[in-house]
Amino acid sequence: MKLSEEMKEWIKDIGLSVVCAMLILTFLKPIIVKQHSMENTLHQNDYLFVSRQAYRLFGEPERGDIIVFSSEMTTETGKNKNLIKRIIGLPGDTVSIFDGVTYINGEALDEPYTKDGYTLGDMDAVTVPEGMLFVMGDNRQNSADSRSALVGMVDQKTVMGKAVFRLFPFSRIGGLE
């Protein structure tokens, strides 16, 4: 029994779609923002694409990158919680916070992306170990991040990727900075 030409076309189209989807998901991971810790940059229910290969193929993490990583915090079901934060300190950097200003290696960090324009609470200088990152949310008054023992420094091995593109809401579609 021969398949009709139309059926062959359908099978070819479906096969091609599956291959394309697999290729896309190899490089991009879709996520939905669930918390408020990255406001005003990201908002709850923003739909993002995370580049899974950003640091494997295109270079090292940089200060200011927004990353998704697996934390030691757990969900209600006992799974490790994925968090989204901004890289502030790289390996070897000394990070401190004084009078609402974040300092990297003794120099004030320009942070126009913070929600309220300052960082609540002072923090003595800490040096970021090799293979680790110091991360903070942009909403500094409402963020569990490297300042907290719940999160602490982030092992680069736990980084799932770099947030690169907001797909939804459509009014804010575009690349992330």
Side-chain angles (χ1 to χ4, degrees):
M1 183 184 269
K2 286 191 167 190
L3 290 174
S4 72
E5 286 300 314
E6 186 175 336
M7 185 67 94
K8 286 180 185 177
E9 285 298 314
W10 271 97
I11 291 171
K12 185 172 87 174
D13 289 347
I14 291 170
L16 186 59
S17 297
V18 169
V19 169
C20 286
M22 289 173 56
L23 280 172
I24 289 170
L25 292 176
T26 298
F27 292 96
L28 297 174
K29 175 180 180 54
I31 67 158
I32 298 173
V33 176
K34 298 288 185 189
Q35 302 295 324
H36 300 279
S37 70
M38 285 299 292
E39 289 177 353
N40 284 335
T41 305
L42 303 173
H43 296 273
Q44 190 172 16
N45 297 318
D46 279 3
Y47 190 91
L48 311 176
F49 284 124
V50 174
S51 171
R52 294 176 185 251
Q53 305 300 325
Y55 302 125
R56 290 187 186 100
L57 301 176
F58 305 114
E60 296 294 315
E62 295 180 12
R63 186 173 299 108
D65 287 355
I66 299 172
I67 61 170
V68 175
F69 59 95
S70 178
S71 74
E72 294 297 317
M73 297 169 71
T74 56
T75 65
E76 300 79 36
T77 60
K79 288 182 169 180
N80 282 29
K81 210 177 216 184
N82 293 332
L83 299 179
I84 185 163
K85 306 290 178 195
R86 187 179 299 273
I87 297 174
I88 302 300
L90 299 166
D93 283 345
T94 299
V95 181
S96 61
I97 301 167
F98 182 71
D99 281 344
V101 178
T102 303
Y103 293 88
I104 302 294
N105 303 322
E107 303 224 358
L109 185 61
D110 181 30
E111 299 184 287
Y113 44 75
T114 58
K115 182 174 182 182
D116 297 318
Y118 67 97
T119 302
L120 188 64
D122 290 347
M123 183 185 87
D124 291 335
V126 295
T127 301
V128 182
E130 281 304 311
M132 305 296 272
L133 300 168
F134 188 96
V135 300
M136 288 196 282
D138 291 354
N139 182 358
R140 301 289 166 79
Q141 284 58 267
N142 185 20
S143 178
D145 50 38
S146 290
R147 298 171 292 168
S148 162
L150 290 172
V151 177
M153 302 276 183
V154 174
D155 189 327
Q156 289 185 26
K157 294 175 187 161
T158 67
V159 175
M160 298 165 61
K162 176 182 175 181
V164 293
F165 191 82
R166 179 185 3 248
L167 182 63
F168 184 83
F170 297 127
S171 62
R172 297 181 67 211
I173 194 170
L176 297 173
E177 292 183 30

